[in-house]
Amino acid sequence: MTDLSKYRNIGIFAHVDAGKTTTTERILKLTGKIHKTGEVHDGESTTDFMEQEAERGITIQSAAVTCEWAGHRLNVIDTPGHVDFTVEVYRSLKVLDGGIGVFCGSGGVEPQSETNWRYANDSEVSRIIFVNKLDRLGADFYRVVEQVKKVLGAKPLVMVLPIGTEDEFVGVVDLLTQKAYVWDDTGLPENFEVQDIPADMADDVEMYRQELIETALEMDEDLLMEYLEEGTEPSIEDIKRCIREGTRTLAFFPTYCGSAFKNKGVQLVLDAVVDYLPSPTEVDPQDLTDEEGNPTGEKAIVSADEPFRALAFKIMDDRFGALTFIRIYSGKINKGDTVLNSATGKTERIGRMVEMQADDKSELTSAQAGDIIAVVGMKNVQTGHTLCDPKHECTLEAMVFPDPVISIAVKPKDKGAVDKMGIAIGKLVAEDPSFQVETDEDSGETILKGMGELHLDIKVDILKRTYGVELEVGAPQVSYRETITSAIEDSYTHKKQSGGSGQYGKIDYRMKPGEPGTGFVFKTSVVGGNVPKEFFPAIEKGFKAMMDEGPLAGFPVLDVEIDVYDGGYHAVDSSAVAFEIAAKGAFRQSMPKAGAQLLEPIMKVDVFSPEDNVGDVIGDLNRRRGMIKDQEPGSSGVRIKADVPLSEMFGYIGHLRTITSGRGQFSMEFSHYMPCPQQIADKVMEEAKERKANK
């Protein structure tokens, strides 16, 4: 078994187009895993192996690869940059110990990198920074370093300086060893020479090196005092030890630069992964929780001698059957072992275990703490489930996924394909927790819900190509919500008399708008026994059931607080059912009186526009009811940040390309819900009425 201190579980994450996948390709080439590098723009990269990824030149799902460098074993996960797939980044960060944040030398810190950086901060993942594409027009390493400080509020520790820029970019100076690495024009990664520092860079190297040493030594008081008072420079080993400590505690982020496409500078990044990113044993162990998700105080210690504990973080369907990706936190596992899924309480036998090379696999007979492997053919395991030793049941801290904001109605073109569609969609839902499906009971339509147009577009494409299910797709629907705007007091009595015992329940209650984000809050302040306590759960159940469909257009209701303060009951005719019906009737009666209002999802939109088109882009966003929040001029254009209602953003990319002659780009993610303007609300309610009438 490999020594755990020689493991590195790392992810590569960044904005769309910063060069994550190309960087992964170069890592595989350098570590001898592949002999010919495939290019993303030719649709031939190793980790983008889905047809949809090769065609669009984007990464959709995170791919795992294992390789070796300098006697260390690296498990690398290449994650998507596109906002519709952030769930992939989130779940990968959950199981990784370190990461490489890739930033584009000309684009700098882009919106998606901010989101991913925030996720990495939440997960407390150590990172090194790689400023890529320094051979591109407008690339500026120093500007990106400033943006990392300003936009991300992070502390970059500059480890190398670029030699030349744009077309003239030839290599980097390693500040620690004070040597220049210069590549020739063949584009081969191994064709470099170690030279002396170019004379015109001596002052910069001196300044940045001093800054590097002082920042690193803040991790060790004694060395720092010695350096500042006596001017004695510590050994490179000591400095590296301090950098490793600072990287592990997120005090700073070692920052490198290069051009992955031109094969320049990637070796130093790999050395940094080995030198500075933590091994599985150096990361704070994961919390164990109870069934409700509260920490129990115990931790999953990373060691092969502990009981077996692993987290299933991704499920992928391929030609060999379902693959369940698991990160093993403690213990070991052998082929043929039986493990317990603590979420379902059922045991599963481990059949085949494989180590992934993107879509190639090599069989394993055993695996241990620190490994990331895939298990073939597990039945009832879903993303976020804990697998453990049946004798030592436990639950690892679960994952939280965002709610979808957009939906489309689909039906198979061929009537006979309904079952086939159901099975295929079931597999996709298992793979991606941010993709949901439901059946509209009245119309029998299948509704797919996701994080954005591209997300759903790709899912429909996968259903067609991978599973052979052709779908008719309706227009995208926005997930509106409903709420109330004013507080009211009201009373409702349910009574029904029909031979034998009747039904009777009376409630007096106050209904008022809740704090944003609180959902449904129910309280009782009944004094005396006017409504016996045993009926409270039934009243709450009745109100809660009505929150799923508001009175305006049938959308879920948000942020309502109900307080039942009085009522009446009948010794014979009152029952839990009677009070539940009373609560439902009360909700229907009072919602319209409490100023029911429609809420729409607002998206955080980030648009990149060439300077000449900024006015047109802003004008267009204003027409879409957007609120412009910020404008940031960059070297090659302007970034405009705005909050825009989702309903106004359908098909935006085509429009943006027209305005900017194809040079504009944008990304968006869900931000919050806001009241809908009356004319829009009227239209949505009208459409809801028509849908009901047509059923």
Side-chain angles (χ1 to χ4, degrees):
M1 283 289 185
T2 318
D3 166 7
L4 271 181
S5 67
K6 299 240 185 305
Y7 269 58
R8 297 290 179 274
N9 288 322
I10 60 165
I12 296 186
F13 51 88
H15 188 79
V16 180
D17 256 6
K20 300 170 295 301
T21 302
T22 307
T23 305
T24 310
E25 281 294 305
R26 297 310 181 255
I27 288 175
L28 295 181
K29 175 80 168 73
L30 283 166
T31 53
K33 268 294 169 197
I34 55 175
H35 299 294
K36 167 188 174 294
T37 46
E39 300 308 345
V40 175
H41 53 253
D42 298 333
E44 289 178 353
S45 65
T46 311
T47 49
D48 284 354
F49 52 81
M50 287 170 60
E51 285 177 13
Q52 290 81 2
E53 296 180 307
E55 271 181 20
R56 294 166 194 249
I58 58 170
T59 304
I60 292 168
Q61 52 180 2
S62 35
V65 204
T66 304
C67 54
E68 292 205 355
W69 181 256
H72 287 65
R73 175 193 172 108
L74 313 183
N75 289 321
V76 185
I77 293 190
D78 171 27
T79 63
H82 202 287
V83 65
D84 286 10
F85 310 105
T86 8
V87 60
E88 290 283 343
V89 180
Y90 173 79
R91 61 162 147 212
S92 303
L93 282 167
K94 177 90 180 138
V95 298
L96 295 168
D97 307 321
I100 303 174
V102 181
F103 297 102
C104 171
S106 59
V109 177
E110 295 171 284
Q112 200 54 63
S113 8
E114 286 176 56
T115 305
N116 293 341
W117 194 265
R118 199 173 64 237
Y119 282 158
N121 284 343
D122 293 348
S123 307
E124 296 181 357
V125 171
S126 307
R127 278 145 282 169
I128 51 185
I129 291 171
F130 178 52
V131 180
N132 189 20
K133 301 197 176 183
L134 279 194
D135 54 320
R136 290 253 310 246
L137 253 172
D140 182 345
F141 174 65
Y142 301 98
R143 191 186 78 243
V144 180
V145 169
E146 281 312 305
Q147 281 188 345
V148 168
K149 290 179 192 166
K150 195 177 105 197
V151 181
L152 302 177
K155 191 170 185 181
L157 182 70
V158 175
M159 302 293 294
V160 300
L161 296 183
I163 305 171
T165 175
E166 298 183 358
D167 293 350
E168 323 269 280
F169 175 69
V170 291
V172 296
V173 172
D174 181 343
L175 293 175
L176 271 187
T177 58
Q178 303 190 68
K179 289 285 176 216
Y181 290 75
V182 178
W183 278 264
D184 63 17
D185 287 340
T186 56
L188 294 168
E190 54 276 9
N191 287 10
F192 67 88
E193 280 181 14
V194 180
Q195 303 173 354
D196 289 333
I197 298 169
D200 62 346
M201 290 183 69
D203 293 350
D204 278 356
V205 170
E206 183 53 41
M207 179 179 87
Y208 275 94
R209 186 163 195 270
Q210 205 171 338
E211 196 179 304
L212 162 65
I213 293 171
E214 283 176 19
T215 308
L217 295 187
E218 283 170 11
M219 298 293 121
D220 186 325
E221 287 280 307
D222 300 345
L223 286 177
L224 183 63
M225 293 321 293
E226 215 173 286
Y227 175 67
L228 293 177
E229 285 169 11
E230 295 161 33
T232 43
E233 186 176 299
S235 68
I236 292 223
E237 271 54 55
D238 279 339
I239 299 174
K240 280 188 164 179
R241 191 186 68 221
C242 291
I243 295 174
R244 188 179 179 84
E245 179 55 25
T247 307
R248 191 185 70 77
T249 55
L250 309 188
F252 46 70
F253 304 92
T255 300
Y256 291 80
C257 65
S259 161
F261 182 53
K262 297 274 173 65
N263 278 313
K264 293 172 185 172
V266 181
Q267 284 96 329
L268 285 92
V269 177
L270 280 170
D271 289 341
V273 167
V274 167
D275 287 343
Y276 307 128
L277 287 181
S279 73
T281 53
E282 292 169 309
V283 178
D284 290 342
Q286 286 275 335
D287 284 325
L288 296 179
T289 62
D290 58 19
E291 284 160 10
E292 269 74 59
N294 305 311
T296 57
E298 275 190 90
K299 301 211 174 269
I301 309 293
V302 178
S303 153
D305 307 326
E306 289 267 314
F308 174 72
R309 302 183 182 107
L311 185 72
F313 69 95
K314 179 175 168 60
I315 289 163
M316 208 169 102
D317 201 57
D318 83 347
R319 57 185 186 279
F320 302 111
L323 288 175
T324 305
F325 283 84
I326 63 171
R327 159 75 198 259
I328 304 174
Y329 284 104
S330 47
K332 347 189 214 309
I333 183 174
N334 297 304
K335 197 172 166 173
D337 282 0
T338 297
V339 297
L340 173 72
N341 177 346
S342 63
T344 60
K346 297 197 168 93
T347 54
E348 298 241 5
R349 194 170 161 278
I350 300 289
R352 288 174 58 203
M353 295 190 295
V354 292
E355 181 180 281
M356 295 300 292
Q357 305 301 341
D359 67 341
D360 281 346
K361 313 173 184 50
S362 47
E363 298 275 340
L364 297 171
T365 52
S366 66
Q368 64 161 10
D371 279 330
I372 292 180
I373 61 162
V375 182
V376 183
M378 294 192 105
K379 298 280 183 297
N380 299 310
V381 180
Q382 288 175 1
T383 301
H385 282 181
T386 300
L387 301 175
C388 56
D389 180 336
K391 295 191 198 65
H392 299 91
E393 188 172 344
C394 70
T395 306
L396 288 156
E397 194 179 36
M399 303 177 172
V400 185
F401 295 109
D403 288 329
V405 290
I406 178 173
S407 60
I408 49 174
V410 296
K411 57 173 189 265
K413 284 187 179 165
D414 170 11
K415 289 279 183 287
V418 175
D419 291 349
K420 195 170 161 190
M421 175 182 86
I423 293 165
I425 288 177
K427 287 180 175 175
L428 291 184
V429 171
E431 287 179 14
D432 180 354
S434 64
F435 173 63
Q436 295 174 8
V437 63
E438 58 183 48
T439 307
D440 185 322
E441 283 164 16
D442 302 329
S443 68
E445 284 180 325
T446 301
I447 311 285
L448 306 183
K449 298 179 167 187
M451 302 308 294
E453 275 186 288
L454 179 68
H455 192 199
L456 293 177
D457 190 21
I458 299 269
K459 294 293 184 224
V460 169
D461 200 26
I462 293 173
L463 285 168
K464 176 175 156 186
R465 292 204 210 173
T466 312
Y467 299 103
V469 180
E470 293 258 4
L471 296 178
E472 281 178 23
V473 180
Q477 295 292 325
V478 178
S479 297
Y480 291 96
R481 295 286 184 268
E482 299 182 20
T483 191
I484 54 173
T485 51
S486 51
I488 60 159
E489 277 195 19
D490 212 343
S491 171
Y492 188 88
T493 309
H494 167 67
K495 54 176 184 226
K496 189 172 167 199
Q497 219 55 52
S498 57
S501 69
Q503 288 181 349
Y504 182 84
K506 172 175 188 281
I507 48 174
D508 297 339
Y509 53 94
R510 299 183 187 94
M511 186 187 240
K512 68 174 190 184
E515 289 295 311
T518 51
F520 170 62
V521 178
F522 177 77
K523 352 197 238 226
T524 51
S525 51
V526 179
V527 183
N530 289 350
V531 179
K533 277 198 175 57
E534 66 261 29
F535 296 136
F536 292 171
I539 298 172
E540 179 174 3
K541 186 178 166 198
F543 276 121
K544 200 169 183 182
M546 299 301 287
M547 294 288 290
D548 292 339
E549 261 191 52
L552 295 175
F555 290 104
V557 180
L558 290 184
D559 309 332
V560 171
E561 193 177 299
I562 289 174
D563 174 11
V564 174
Y565 65 90
D566 204 357
Y569 81 108
H570 187 282
V572 178
D573 291 349
S574 283
S575 64
V577 172
F579 273 103
E580 190 181 324
I581 295 171
K584 288 181 174 172
F587 191 88
R588 268 193 293 270
Q589 167 184 298
S590 300
M591 266 291 281
K593 296 184 191 172
Q597 183 181 50
L598 209 59
L599 301 173
E600 61 180 349
I602 303 293
M603 308 302 278
K604 195 165 99 188
V605 178
D606 205 304
V607 185
F608 169 81
S609 159
E611 274 185 26
D612 309 347
N613 311 110
V614 172
D616 296 342
V617 170
I618 288 179
D620 181 56
L621 287 171
N622 285 332
R623 270 194 298 284
R624 294 171 188 270
R625 301 191 283 124
M627 287 275 298
I628 308 295
K629 285 281 166 78
D630 193 15
Q631 292 179 53
E632 281 175 24
S635 63
S636 50
V638 178
R639 277 181 47 200
I640 301 153
K641 296 186 177 186
D643 285 351
V644 192
L646 173 63
S647 60
E648 303 286 345
M649 289 301 289
F650 292 132
Y652 179 62
I653 187 66
H655 199 76
L656 177 65
R657 285 186 179 142
T658 311
I659 304 179
T660 59
S661 320
R663 291 176 14 229
Q665 285 175 332
F666 89 106
S667 70
M668 65 177 183
E669 59 188 302
F670 172 70
S671 173
H672 58 281
Y673 277 98
M674 281 278 288
C676 213
Q678 198 52 51
Q679 74 272 24
I680 306 276
D682 292 344
K683 203 166 127 198
V684 172
M685 293 189 299
E686 193 52 48
E687 283 168 7
K689 258 202 206 105
E690 274 172 33
R691 274 203 302 278
K692 270 210 162 120
N694 293 337
K695 283 174 183 173

